[in-house]
Amino acid sequence: MLYNFSFYIHHHGSGHVTRATAIAKFLKTYVDCKITFLGSDLLAYQHLIPDDIDQLFLPLDVPTVDDLYHQPQNLKHLHYAPLNVAGLLARNQMIIEHFCKNPETVCVVDVSCEVLQLARLCGIPTVAVRQHGKRTDLAHALAYDSAQQIIAPYCRQMSDADEEGIYADKTLFTGGFSRYDTLKTPSSVQQKKNIAIFIGKGGSSIDQHLISRLQASLDASYTVHVIGDAPSASGSENIIIHGHLDDPTPILNLCAVIVCNAGHNTIMEMGSLRKRIICIPADRPFREQEIKAAHLQRLNLAVVIPEDQVKHTNWKNAIEQAQQLDTNRWSDVMDDKALTKIADCLIATYRKFYTTQRKKTGIHA
């Protein structure tokens, strides 16, 4: 049979589309299926998305100068639902039209409580992708309650009961995974005095001031590699500015310690590469990065520096501390079978609704 999956992909940062692409690529090799990506920023990631995945380009849902009657609304049961925004109306229309053309689909939502509830109100089975953070508010509770399944793309050890709330029983903890799962850092390549500053695309607290402080705290024998878009960053004798790299692994593999934020995609990539990290959790809704960083610290996977302590950090000591981390601990939280678990979950969810014969009514569910 041909399975049909619709992935809604949140437009903030690259982590959501990277994760969806990894899952979709695996599904395509695992089962005969049609997959459609729905999102507002897909064009920026065409180099990542395979040609055999359909795409629905949604307008942004933020007000423009033409939205004369726009009014923000603070609601408990929805995170974002402004009034009189043409882009919001148009994108919801396009999503509903997609469901009308694909009535036998499972919608995987990564992430949006509003889209998840919209799909459910259309009678479409949904699977929610969960992120770290304290998500026990009403909007999340309603979304998770309506979802058929919740997928947490991390291991159970990186969670606790207070975070997951009453929906832990229908949550699949997959273990960690990333696009670098097949790669491991060759120990012979690592050089103790190569340090990387890895800046993701989701917004970062890592700036020129931090880079300068790190440089000043290290002697000239160290080389600092800056990967990603660093505002106003400039190179010097022992700072190399690489900018954005489609494949940063050759540089990451050179470096003994990586300084990064606690975005999920970044952390999972560091886990796949078995890297020693200094983690600076950025301010995010629901304390997402702060809570993830706390789990990493508890599991002795990272040295964590709060944002408000960056200016007061002795970076030489922090790097020496990070160099003592045991990279074998990543094996406890990463899982080579994570994508298989997700695929099996999505297939089982699809079959539950679209292959069961209801004898009394003659209707296929």
Side-chain angles (χ1 to χ4, degrees), residues 195 197 210-218 224 259 315 319:
I195 308 299
I197 297 177
L210 185 151
I211 295 169
S212 298
R213 284 189 61 84
L214 178 58
Q215 179 192 28
S217 67
L218 301 174
V224 178
V259 180
W315 283 99
I319 288 170

Side-chain angles (χ1 to χ4, degrees), residues 141-332:
L142 292 172
Y144 292 160
D145 188 60
S146 65
Q148 304 301 322
Q149 180 74 46
I150 300 169
I151 291 175
Y154 46 85
C155 65
R156 190 178 285 272
Q157 296 98 299
M158 287 189 68
S159 181
D160 59 47
D162 288 341
E163 287 175 58
E164 307 303 333
I166 63 175
Y167 299 106
D169 288 346
K170 68 173 178 180
T171 299
L172 170 66
F173 295 91
T174 69
F177 65 94
S178 84
R179 57 179 171 163
Y180 299 142
D181 274 351
T182 58
L183 304 176
K184 297 290 184 291
T185 303
S187 57
S188 60
V189 173
Q190 284 189 14
Q191 298 179 20
K192 185 176 181 180
K193 293 202 170 183
N194 274 274
I195 308 299
I197 297 177
F198 191 39
I199 304 171
K201 283 193 170 184
S204 175
S205 57
I206 298 174
D207 56 15
Q208 178 61 44
H209 180 77
L210 185 151
I211 295 169
S212 298
R213 284 189 61 84
L214 178 58
Q215 179 192 28
S217 67
L218 301 174
D219 62 55
S221 64
Y222 281 89
T223 300
V224 178
H225 300 266
V226 182
I227 304 171
D229 298 325
S232 304
S234 58
S236 66
E237 185 175 346
N238 66 335
I239 291 188
I240 302 175
I241 307 297
H242 296 277
H244 171 74
L245 299 174
D246 287 338
D247 181 12
T249 54
I251 305 302
L252 292 171
N253 282 342
L254 277 176
C255 298
V257 174
I258 315 297
V259 180
C260 59
N261 290 128
H264 187 81
N265 193 52
T266 295
I267 295 301
M268 292 299 104
E269 288 179 354
M270 297 305 100
S272 292
L273 296 174
R274 303 301 195 261
K275 302 305 297 184
R276 297 176 175 89
I277 63 175
I278 297 174
C279 178
I280 307 170
D283 184 21
R284 289 291 184 270
F286 313 105
R287 299 174 60 216
E288 175 193 340
Q289 290 201 15
E290 180 184 345
I291 287 175
K292 186 187 289 94
H295 288 305
L296 293 171
Q297 188 171 44
R298 175 176 55 80
L299 295 169
N300 293 315
L301 290 169
V303 173
V304 175
I305 300 174
E307 277 189 316
D308 61 0
Q309 295 299 311
V310 166
K311 295 180 180 179
H312 311 291
T313 295
N314 183 319
W315 283 99
K316 187 174 186 297
N317 289 347
I319 288 170
E320 290 175 352
Q321 184 181 353
Q323 288 173 335
Q324 302 305 312
L325 293 170
D326 181 3
T327 58
N328 291 323
R329 288 182 175 274
W330 282 113
S331 298
D332 295 331

Side-chain angles (χ1 to χ4, degrees), residues 22-23 26-27 29-30 151 172-177 181 335-348:
I23 296 170
F26 185 84
L27 269 171
T29 65
Y30 198 67
I151 291 175
L172 170 66
F173 295 91
T174 69
F177 65 94
D181 274 351
D335 193 330
D336 292 340
K337 300 297 183 183
L339 290 174
T340 302
K341 294 178 184 178
I342 293 173
D344 287 341
C345 173
L346 294 180
I347 290 167

Side-chain angles (χ1 to χ4, degrees), residues 36-40 42 54-58 91 94-95 98:
T36 305
F37 281 3
L38 296 76
S40 299
L42 298 178
D54 296 334
Q55 298 179 65
L56 180 61
F57 302 103
L58 302 175
R91 76 191 329 255
M94 292 174 68
I95 292 171
H98 170 75

